Structures are given as structure tokens and as C-alpha cells.
């Protein structure tokens, strides 16, 4: 027999406007312009430009349209943002790895057939610069896709030409070939010749760090082997990343500009965060006109509803942009206040431990809001451009009872490893004791975690002869 059960529950539901505001808040400056452009295209009631005073004297709220459908119930948001914010325009590089290689291919005097084969090979090169697809499979791709019948020997010949392109090492099929290509393209020295021999004949021993075997076979001393090893480690194992990294960095647009001037900290929003938007005067007048017309007419009623919806949406969007500006500034001001000494001196050791909760409590906002502001945002300081995430770190207690930021501990850890004897590197246990001797109360597993985050291998792999 079925039972009827009555239960109560509380659920938090966000309105469509709130969801859109959250999305607006978390997008970086580079994407905000595109979002505004999209809104201008879909909403004719929204225009670019500054509001005029006479338009502000006739607010939308005074118009009588209560008899009509209200599908866009927005909410008012607080106003106010800094005037005349500065603008930073980045220099954007849009050339991808594939485009760069195709451009270089065009400089070779190849036949139409060879050019098509070369284009297919370049298309098979992955983002890191390697071509891992077997040449036999590329032959099949050419046969089925472009009706070009070739063999591995012809492909190998054209690939050799591509492997001479920039960046050095491009088009390699494995790490060994990548390093050899870079050495062949470099200067002809004693180090490069020995490095070439080691990679061609003793690559397995080199990769496993069996230096004693290499020494015996080549009959070289410790100093020479060390010099050759350092030469090889300076080569780039992922040549394709050189171009992709440059492109990614070029798109970084700072959301804030912080300057220390005459003993005061100036915090300004990038002007791209403060666009000039206004509500269309013609749409407002249209609403006023239709509201005085025959409300029983179905066509007029539908038109009036459409106009009102677009005006409400435009007003909400303008308020949401202003609220975004205010929230960004409030959060940045709190970060600067928290990390004031860093913004004055640019000294990384001056950074204090700070987590999202600390900032949320300081500005009386939800942690999720602070997280959305910190994510994908950056600030230009007198010492360079930093992502906001850079200023957040956990605290490690010290013997003096104060907290040190995890970044400070990492810097100390890195310094200890840099100063260690390379023939007898410190183990994690030893590093733990050295850090405790400097006053940092830290566990060995935390030492291992920080070491891995710094990209430093274990002691066994750091050992050099």
C-alpha cells in the first residue's frame, strides 16, 4: 500500500539574470568585448555611447506598462565606478605553428605535388612539434584524401626539408631525433660533436644517466662529460611550444593597473572593463508612445511587450556591467591592502599567506564570488603583470608563531637545492631538516609536494658526476 509523505526542503534557485551576472563576472577582459558585442547585436534597445542627462530625467519606472507580460524581471544593482580608467592594448600575435611552417614551405621551390605532400606532413605535426603519425599512414591519407600515390621514401625526403625549418627540431618523430636535429642546426663545436655521438650511439645510456659507461666508451674526463651533458639539457625537447607559448602570452590583457605614486597606491580598471553603454532613446520613446495607444489591440499589446522586454534587458545589462566593475575594484583593493608591501617593493618574500576565505571575509562577499574574480584576471604592477592567483597562497607556521606563505617556503626550498652539492644532492628528509632549521615547521610529504610543484626531480635524478 502506497503512503503519502509530506516533506519540506529549501532549495536555492538563481534567476536567469543572476546566472548571466555570474558569467559576466568570471570572464576575463579579453572576452568581455565580445560578450558586449553579442548583446548589442541581439538587443536593439542597447547602444554604445554615454547617457545624456535629459534621458535620465525620464526613468523607465515612470512608464505605465503593468498590464503587459514581464518576462525579463531584472534586479537593481549598485552603481559607481572610477572615471577615466586607463586602457592597455596588447600586441597580439596570431600566427600559429602550422601557419609558420606553411609560410616557410612556400619559400621552397617545390612542384605542386611536393607542395601538397609537404602540406599533408605539416598538417600531421602536433602542437609540441612532433610528427608521431607513421609515414605509411600518411601515404594512405594522401592516396584516399587527395588521390596522390607516394611511398615512404618520397615522404622521408620532403620531411627532411621540413625538419630544416624554424624552430629547430620541428618535425621530429621522437625525442632522440628532435635533439639531433637541433644539434645539426647549431654551431660546429667540440661539445656539439660529442653530443651528437652520445645521442646517436649511446642514447639509451644517456637517458638512464649511465654516465660511467659513456665515459669509458668515449674515453673522456668528468669535466668534458659534464659540459656535454649541460649542452644537451639546454636543447628544447618540445620545439612546437615556442610558437604556441608566444601566442598565448600575447593575449594576456591586464584587468587592473596598480601603481605606487607619491606614497599612495592607485588602483584603476582597464577601460575595456568600463564600456560606454546606454539605452536607446528611440526605444524609450517608442515605449511611451505605445503605452498611450489602444491597449486592447492585440498587435499593439505584443509590440509593447517586445519593446518593454528589450528595454528591461538593456537596463539590466548596463547595471550588470557596472556591478562587475564595482566587484572587480572592491576585490582588487582588498588584495592590494592585504599584500601592500609587495606592491610597494615587488619583493616576492613580502607576500603574506592569503586564501579565498580571507579575502571574502574582508570584503563581505561569498567565496565563490572572490574565486570568479581571481580566476582568469591579471594586474599590471610597477614590477610586471601578474595573474591574481599569484597573490593567493597557504600559510606555513614558523617558530616565531607567524605564518609564512607557501611561496616563501618554495623559494627557500629552491635556494637550498640550488646551493646543494650536485654530486650529493639533498634528500627530502634532509631538506625537511634544513627548512626546520630555518624556522619552517613543515612535513616531509609537504617538502615533496612543493618540490614537485617547482618541477624539481628527486635527489637520485639530480645527482651529477
Amino acid at each position: 500500500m502506497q503512503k503519502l509523505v509530506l516533506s519540506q526542503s529549501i532549495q536555492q534557485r538563481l534567476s536567469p539574470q543572476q546566472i548571466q551576472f555570474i558569467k559576466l563576472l568570471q570572464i576575463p577582459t579579453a572576452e568581455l568585448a565580445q560578450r558586449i558585442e553579442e548583446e548589442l547585436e541581439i538587443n536593439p534597445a542597447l547602444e554604445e555611447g554615454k547617457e545624456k542627462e535629459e534621458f535620465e530625467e525620464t526613468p523607465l519606472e515612470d512608464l505605465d506598462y503593468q498590464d503587459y507580460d514581464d518576462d525579463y524581471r531584472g534586479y537593481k544593482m549598485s552603481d559607481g565606478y572610477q572615471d577615466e580608467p586607463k586602457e592597455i592594448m596588447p600586441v597580439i600575435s596570431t600566427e600559429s605553428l602550422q601557419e609558420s611552417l606553411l609560410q616557410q614551405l612556400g619559400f621552397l621551390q617545390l612542384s605542386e605535388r611536393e607542395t601538397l605532400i609537404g602540406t599533408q606532413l605539416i598538417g600531421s605535426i602536433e602542437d609540441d612539434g612532433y610528427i608521431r603519425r607513421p609515414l605509411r599512414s600518411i601515404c594512405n591519407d594522401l592516396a584516399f584524401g587527395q588521390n596522390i600515390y607516394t611511398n615512404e621514401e618520397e615522404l622521408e625526403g620532403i620531411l627532411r626539408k621540413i625538419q630544416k625549418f624554424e624552430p629547430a627540431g620541428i618535425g621530429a618523430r621522437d625525442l632522440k631525433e628532435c635533439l639531433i636535429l637541433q644539434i645539426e642546426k647549431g654551431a660546429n663545436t667540440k661539445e656539439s660533436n660529442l653530443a651528437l655521438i652520445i645521442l646517436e650511439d649511446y642514447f639509451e645510456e644517456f637517458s638512464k644517466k649511465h654516465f660511467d659507461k659513456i665515459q669509458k666508451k668515449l674515453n673522456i674526463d668528468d669535466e668534458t662529460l659534464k659540459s656535454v651533458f649541460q649542452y644537451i639539457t639546454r636543447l628544447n625537447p618540445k620545439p612546437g611550444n615556442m610558437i604556441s607559448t608566444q601566442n598565448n602570452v600575447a593575449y594576456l590583457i591586464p584587468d587592473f593597473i596598480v601603481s605606487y605614486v607619491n606614497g599612495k597606491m592607485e588602483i584603476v580598471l582597464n577601460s575595456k572593463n568600463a564600456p560606454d553603454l546606454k539605452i536607446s532613446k528611440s526605444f524609450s520613446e517608442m515605449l511611451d508612445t505605445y503605452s498611450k495607444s489602444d491597449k486592447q489591440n492585440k498587435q499593439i499589446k505584443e509590440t509593447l511587450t517586445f519593446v518593454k522586454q528589450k528595454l528591461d534587458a538593456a537596463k539590466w545589462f548596463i547595471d550588470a556591467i557596472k556591478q562587475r566593475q564595482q566587484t572587480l575594484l572592491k576585490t582588487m583593493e582588498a588584495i592590494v591592502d592585504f599584500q601592500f608591501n609587495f606592491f610597494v617593493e615587488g619583493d616576492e618574500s613580502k607576500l603574506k599567506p592569503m586564501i579565498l576565505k580571507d579575502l571574502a571575509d574582508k570584503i563581505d562577499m561569498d567565496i565563490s564570488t572572490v574565486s570568479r574574480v581571481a580566476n582568469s584576471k591579471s594586474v599590471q604592477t610597477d614590477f610586471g603583470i601578474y595573474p591574481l592567483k599569484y597573490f593567493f597562497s597557504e600559510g606555513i607556521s614558523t617558530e616565531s608563531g607567524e605564518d609564512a606563505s607557501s611561496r616563501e617556503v618554495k623559494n627557500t626550498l629552491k635556494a637550498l637545492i640550488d646551493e646543494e652539492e650536485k654530486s650529493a644532492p639533498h634528500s627530502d628528509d634532509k631538506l625537511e631538516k634544513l627548512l626546520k632549521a630555518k624556522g619552517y615547521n613543515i612535513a616531509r610529504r609537504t617538502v615533496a609536494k612543493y618540490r614537485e610543484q617547482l618541477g624539481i626531480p628527486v635527489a637520485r635524478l639530480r645527482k651529477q658526476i
Side-chain angles (χ1 to χ4, degrees):
M1 183 177 179
Q2 291 183 341
K3 286 186 177 182
L4 293 176
V5 179
L6 185 64
S7 64
Q8 285 185 322
S9 64
I10 299 177
Q11 293 182 339
Q12 183 180 17
R13 293 183 180 274
L14 296 176
S15 67
Q17 287 82 7
Q18 288 174 310
I19 294 172
Q20 287 189 52
F21 172 69
I22 289 172
K23 291 180 179 179
L24 273 178
L25 184 62
Q26 66 188 17
I27 62 175
T29 303
E31 298 178 17
L32 181 62
Q34 182 180 353
R35 176 67 183 86
I36 292 173
E37 189 66 32
E38 291 173 357
E39 192 69 23
L40 287 169
E41 288 180 2
I42 64 175
N43 192 347
L46 186 67
E47 294 180 351
E48 290 184 282
K50 294 184 178 180
E51 290 282 8
K52 295 181 180 180
E53 292 183 2
E54 62 267 19
F55 177 64
E56 294 177 355
E57 294 176 358
T58 56
L60 293 174
E61 288 81 356
D62 293 344
L63 298 173
D64 182 16
Y65 45 73
Q66 293 181 357
D67 297 334
Y68 304 95
D69 297 333
D70 189 1
D71 294 333
Y72 288 79
R73 297 184 183 273
Y75 55 89
K76 293 183 180 179
M77 299 184 179
S78 55
D79 199 349
Y81 56 93
Q82 291 195 10
D83 295 331
E84 302 300 332
K86 298 178 183 178
E87 179 176 352
I88 292 184
M89 295 296 292
V91 179
I92 299 177
S93 171
T94 57
E95 187 180 69
S96 66
L97 174 63
Q98 303 287 336
E99 290 169 340
S100 174
L101 295 175
L102 288 173
Q103 185 179 22
Q104 294 176 72
L105 182 69
F107 294 138
L108 300 180
Q109 295 181 348
L110 301 177
S111 65
E112 182 179 355
R113 171 189 171 85
E114 290 173 327
T115 301
L116 288 172
I117 294 174
T119 303
Q120 185 74 30
L121 285 167
I122 289 173
S124 301
I125 294 176
E126 299 178 13
D127 291 340
D128 58 1
Y130 287 85
I131 182 166
R132 296 184 174 88
R133 188 164 175 77
L135 294 184
R136 182 184 298 275
S137 299
I138 297 176
C139 288
N140 294 333
D141 295 340
L142 285 164
F144 290 109
Q146 302 191 46
N147 201 28
I148 296 176
Y149 295 92
T150 182
N151 53 44
E152 294 182 43
E153 292 181 6
E154 186 178 13
L155 253 63
E156 184 85 33
I158 297 175
L159 178 60
R160 286 295 177 191
K161 295 180 181 180
I162 293 174
Q163 288 175 342
K164 294 180 181 179
F165 292 171
E166 292 293 338
I170 201 71
R173 284 158 286 188
D174 52 39
L175 177 60
K176 177 181 176 181
E177 186 177 26
C178 177
L179 298 177
I180 290 174
L181 287 171
Q182 293 179 59
I183 294 173
E184 289 176 342
K185 207 167 185 182
N188 185 10
T189 64
K190 180 182 177 181
E191 285 181 342
S192 65
N193 291 332
L194 277 172
L196 202 58
I197 293 172
I198 290 173
L199 292 176
E200 287 179 340
D201 300 335
Y202 309 107
F203 183 76
E204 185 176 353
E205 290 87 345
F206 172 79
S207 60
K208 293 180 179 179
K209 298 186 182 296
H210 293 165
F211 300 120
D212 52 339
K213 294 182 179 179
I214 297 175
Q215 257 188 298
K216 289 178 181 178
K217 292 180 179 178
L218 294 180
N219 193 24
I220 55 178
D221 55 32
D222 291 351
E223 193 63 32
T224 302
L225 180 62
K226 182 178 179 181
S227 177
V228 175
F229 176 78
Q230 290 176 345
Y231 174 84
I232 296 175
T233 54
R234 286 196 296 267
L235 300 174
N236 187 359
K238 295 182 179 180
N241 289 354
M242 292 177 64
I243 293 180
S244 60
T245 302
Q246 290 171 3
N247 290 339
N248 290 337
V249 172
Y251 281 95
L252 180 61
I253 303 176
D255 299 78
F256 309 92
I257 305 158
V258 176
S259 304
Y260 188 61
V261 182
N262 298 327
K264 293 184 179 180
M265 201 66 70
E266 293 185 356
I267 305 171
V268 184
L269 267 177
N270 189 331
S271 68
K272 287 185 172 292
N273 282 301
D276 292 327
L277 296 173
K278 66 179 182 179
I279 294 174
S280 170
K281 186 177 180 181
S282 60
F283 252 71
S284 178
E285 292 173 349
M286 189 186 305
L287 178 64
D288 192 21
T289 301
Y290 276 108
S291 64
K292 296 174 182 178
S293 303
D294 182 11
K295 297 179 182 180
Q296 302 302 319
N297 187 304
K298 183 179 179 182
Q299 187 175 357
I300 292 177
K301 183 176 179 180
E302 290 176 351
T303 303
L304 186 56
T305 300
F306 171 79
V307 173
K308 177 194 170 297
Q309 289 174 348
K310 293 301 180 183
L311 284 169
D312 282 351
K315 184 176 184 298
W316 173 84
F317 190 79
I318 292 172
D319 285 342
I321 292 293
K322 291 179 180 179
Q323 178 68 9
R324 179 183 189 272
Q325 298 159 15
Q326 192 177 44
T327 303
L328 289 177
L329 273 174
K330 193 173 182 180
T331 306
M332 190 68 237
E333 286 169 357
I335 292 175
V336 171
D337 185 54
F338 216 106
Q339 307 288 8
F340 185 82
N341 291 334
F342 171 83
F343 286 98
V344 173
E345 303 176 25
D347 187 354
E348 195 177 72
S349 65
K350 300 290 184 181
L351 287 173
K352 298 178 182 178
M354 182 178 72
I355 58 176
L356 292 173
K357 187 178 184 302
D358 294 332
L359 215 60
D361 293 340
K362 189 176 181 67
I363 61 179
D364 195 25
M365 286 187 179
D366 191 81
I367 292 179
S368 62
T369 302
V370 176
S371 176
R372 288 185 175 94
V373 173
N375 188 37
S376 302
K377 306 291 190 304
S378 59
V379 56
Q380 177 179 304
T381 71
D382 295 333
F383 316 101
I385 298 178
Y386 296 88
L388 292 195
K389 289 181 178 179
Y390 178 81
F391 303 103
F392 292 85
S393 63
E394 298 175 348
I396 300 293
S397 61
T398 62
E399 288 184 349
S400 61
E402 298 179 351
D403 279 347
S405 71
S406 58
R407 186 172 285 105
E408 179 184 339
V409 179
K410 287 180 184 178
N411 287 338
T412 306
L413 175 63
K414 187 176 185 301
L416 289 171
I417 294 174
D418 289 341
E419 296 168 1
E420 69 186 1
E421 182 64 39
K422 301 305 178 184
S423 60
H426 300 316
S427 65
D428 290 344
D429 289 326
K430 178 65 174 176
L431 290 170
E432 176 196 354
K433 293 175 182 177
L434 291 172
L435 286 170
K436 284 184 176 178
K438 290 181 175 290
Y440 300 108
N441 296 324
I442 187 170
R444 190 202 63 79
R445 63 178 179 275
T446 308
V447 172
K449 181 179 77 171
Y450 287 172
R451 176 180 52 71
E452 290 172 358
Q453 290 175 354
L454 290 168
I456 299 173
V458 296
R460 175 175 55 83
L461 298 178
R462 297 201 308 272
K463 186 175 181 179
Q464 296 180 14
I465 58 171

